[in-house]
Amino acid sequence: MPNATVRTTCVVAGGGPAGMMLAFLLARAGVQIVVLEKHADFLRDFRGDTVHPSTLEMIHELGLLDEFLKLPHQKVERLAGQIGDRHVVISDLTHLPTRCKYIALMPQWDFLNFLAAQGRRYPTFDLRMQAEAVDLIEEGGRIVGLNARTPDGTLTVRSDLVVGADGRHSTVRGKAGLVSDDYGAPMDVLWFRMPRHATDDSETFGHVEPGKMMIMLNRGDYWQCAYVIPKGGIERVHAEGLDAFRGRVLAMSPVLGDRIDQLRSWDDVKLLSVAVDRLRRWWRPGLICIGDAAHAMSPVGGVGINLAVQDAVAAANRLAGPLKAGTMSDADLQAIETRRAFAARFTQRIQLTIQNQVVSRALASTQPMKVPFAVELLAAFPVLRRIPARLLGLGIRPEHVRTPDVLAAC
Ligand SMILES: Cc1cc2nc3c(=O)[nH]c(=O)nc-3n(C[C@H](O)[C@H](O)[C@H](O)COP(=O)(O)OP(=O)(O)OC[C@H]3O[C@@H](n4cnc5c(N)ncnc54)[C@H](O)[C@@H]3O)c2cc1C
């Protein structure tokens, strides 16, 4: 098979939220960029479907919000939970200081296709699908490019900067020898769809019972369901059989009784393995990791996409000028890590606390669940629901696009 070599300013491995947002912003700022995505399209089973208020705000700042919101989506203004027989609203986003006071639930492939379409408006944007980064090229202690496997043979990309945005199982970070700390997760998630009827409740909510947890996201004509099991518990679930699993689901959501038989085989139920980790150092000369490649996020709170996007914005802000001028230095890479590591560390700490205090306890419990004190406070004082809303909707240290092209337009 023929091999090819291209030369660019920046190559991004991974066309997820982090990689596509960074590629779009850098291309827009006039930086030559190649993005490699190992899959043929963005149409994958599950990629997390949440677009957060801070991301929507940024899209607004770029003048693209009206076009973006034409894509089909559902709005989530409040998040609720059922603990035993108590129903509690946990978070109220309607007071956020943003244009969109809600989380937009949108298939992630629509979000990524939107970013790809925006990127393609710029001649500096080069997205290659079915291109899997497999190796780094190192010269004199510096990363100067990578090799990718494509259907046409090996593609060599030489560049001033390699960005690892290839997610939780990042090849780039492994090949770069970057070391991560693993914080563990007590659960995995079984992910499946159920039809949603017009007469169903419209709320997106979580339900906790002794030994069981399930989340249902309203996706218009279907429910996206996440059934939480103890880490590594899939073999037991399989051994108990599909009927037993259907029964567990119904015990959590009786409303699905008239359609549970649409869960026909284990092929309809995907196992999503949960990991939480963070790199000790996100970069080395010529290379940086962002998004889950730098800090794999737990699904708790559904904030990983937002963090990945915010990393991309911070990286674009810092790098666009130096990459264009050919003056990028290690200090730029360190500055991105310093800025974003705080947000990642803080958010992961909250996720780990919830994993340990709520998820682990619920999954291990055989007694009726007590509503945690913090949740009682949210139930008693609705104004307090603005706090989790801020953490979920905006995150820690929300970013705004400050690339030279945007600043020049101000
Ligand atoms: C069960 C579960 C549920 C979750 N639910 C949510 C949620 O609802 N909301 C939320 O905000 N977050 C959620 N998260 C977290 C969220 O999925 C991640 O934090 C987020 O996707 C990170 O984005 P990313 O761009 O860094 O990586 P990814 O989304 O993982 O994207 C990486 C991309 O790189 C590609 N790739 C991988 N390797 C290579 C390679 N070698 N070469 C080229 N391409 C490659 C992949 O195909 C992929 O497209 C969930 C996580 C889990 C485990």
Side-chain angles (χ1 to χ4, degrees), residues 348-359:
Q348 285 180 327
R349 200 164 288 165
I350 297 175
Q351 290 187 319
L352 291 170
T353 305
I354 295 174
Q355 280 188 182
N356 296 333
Q357 301 295 322
V358 182
V359 181

Side-chain angles (χ1 to χ4, degrees), residues 21 48 101 150 168 239 242 249 331 348 368 385:
M21 183 58 84
K101 300 173 192 306
T150 77
R168 285 180 295 154
L242 193 57
V249 170
Q348 285 180 327
R385 296 172 193 160

Side-chain angles (χ1 to χ4, degrees), residues 53-367:
S54 52
T55 303
L56 292 167
E57 187 73 6
M58 203 188 66
I59 293 173
H60 163 64
E61 288 166 4
L62 292 169
L64 301 172
L65 187 65
D66 290 343
E67 202 178 332
F68 184 68
L69 291 179
K70 284 184 192 150
L71 296 170
H73 63 278
Q74 290 80 40
K75 296 178 183 172
V76 177
E77 295 179 329
R78 290 179 188 80
L79 291 168
Q82 188 178 333
I83 304 176
D85 50 15
R86 281 278 301 281
H87 181 275
V88 267
V89 176
I90 291 165
S91 162
D92 178 357
L93 297 127
T94 58
H95 301 277
L96 287 179
T98 47
R99 197 171 179 86
C100 301
K101 300 173 192 306
Y102 55 83
I103 292 172
L105 284 182
M106 176 185 290
Q108 199 183 112
W109 50 83
D110 282 349
F111 178 44
L112 296 176
N113 279 325
F114 179 83
L115 292 176
Q118 294 302 324
R120 285 194 188 99
R121 292 168 49 201
Y122 303 96
T124 41
F125 182 86
D126 180 358
L127 168 62
R128 312 252 177 143
M129 304 303 284
Q130 284 184 286
E132 178 177 4
V134 288
D135 224 340
L136 298 173
I137 307 168
E138 183 172 345
E139 287 173 5
R142 183 179 182 83
I143 303 300
V144 295
L146 54 71
N147 290 316
R149 192 186 296 132
T150 77
D152 302 323
T154 299
L155 172 69
T156 297
V157 187
R158 298 189 71 92
S159 59
D160 298 344
L161 178 66
V162 171
V163 179
D166 48 347
R168 285 180 295 154
H169 308 292
S170 171
T171 301
V172 169
R173 82 177 186 185
K175 294 285 177 185
L178 297 175
V179 179
S180 66
D181 289 315
D182 184 358
Y183 299 102
M187 76 285 201
D188 287 327
V189 175
L190 298 180
W191 193 253
F192 56 95
R193 286 180 182 196
M194 284 274 99
R196 187 176 161 271
H197 297 168
T199 48
D200 291 353
D201 223 338
S202 61
E203 204 172 54
T204 283
F205 76 107
H207 185 177
V208 186
E209 292 286 347
K212 303 190 201 97
M213 284 187 91
M214 182 162 149
I215 291 124
M216 288 173 65
L217 306 173
N218 172 0
R219 301 308 322 278
D221 56 356
Y222 68 92
W223 288 107
Q224 184 63 64
C225 305
Y227 191 93
V228 183
I229 59 169
K231 186 98 203 148
I234 186 63
E235 282 181 15
R236 193 172 151 200
V237 174
H238 281 168
E240 287 171 357
L242 193 57
D243 265 345
F245 180 65
R246 290 193 192 109
R248 283 167 176 241
V249 170
L250 283 188
M252 297 301 271
S253 289
V255 70
L256 300 178
D258 55 356
R259 58 207 102 147
I260 193 72
D261 54 351
Q262 298 206 23
L263 218 51
R264 290 191 182 92
S265 81
W266 287 119
D267 291 342
D268 297 330
V269 183
K270 301 280 179 287
L271 170 70
L272 301 175
S273 140
V274 178
V276 184
D277 64 28
R278 194 170 61 248
L279 291 179
R280 290 185 189 164
R281 189 174 162 197
W282 295 20
W283 64 276
R284 36 177 300 198
L287 176 144
I288 189 163
C289 288
I290 60 170
D292 267 23
H295 47 75
M297 302 302 291
S298 163
V300 169
V303 292
I305 295 168
N306 198 36
L307 247 83
V309 167
Q310 304 287 317
D311 283 3
V313 176
N317 287 347
R318 181 74 194 202
L319 293 171
L323 279 174
K324 234 180 136 183
T327 58
M328 189 203 70
S329 68
D330 293 351
D332 293 314
L333 304 180
Q334 179 58 49
I336 297 165
E337 175 184 329
T338 305
R339 182 164 182 86
R340 296 305 306 163
F342 170 71
R345 197 166 52 238
F346 188 95
T347 311
Q348 285 180 327
R349 200 164 288 165
I350 297 175
Q351 290 187 319
L352 291 170
T353 305
I354 295 174
Q355 280 188 182
N356 296 333
Q357 301 295 322
V358 182
V359 181
S360 288
R361 284 189 188 182
L363 291 179
S365 167
T366 51
Q367 301 299 318

Side-chain angles (χ1 to χ4, degrees), residues 366-396:
T366 51
Q367 301 299 318
M369 300 292 303
K370 260 187 72 180
V371 177
F373 180 63
V375 177
E376 288 287 12
L377 282 177
L378 296 174
F381 303 103
V383 70
L384 294 179
R385 296 172 193 160
R386 298 181 191 187
I387 300 170
R390 229 184 146 93
L391 287 171
L392 283 174
L394 302 184
I396 304 298

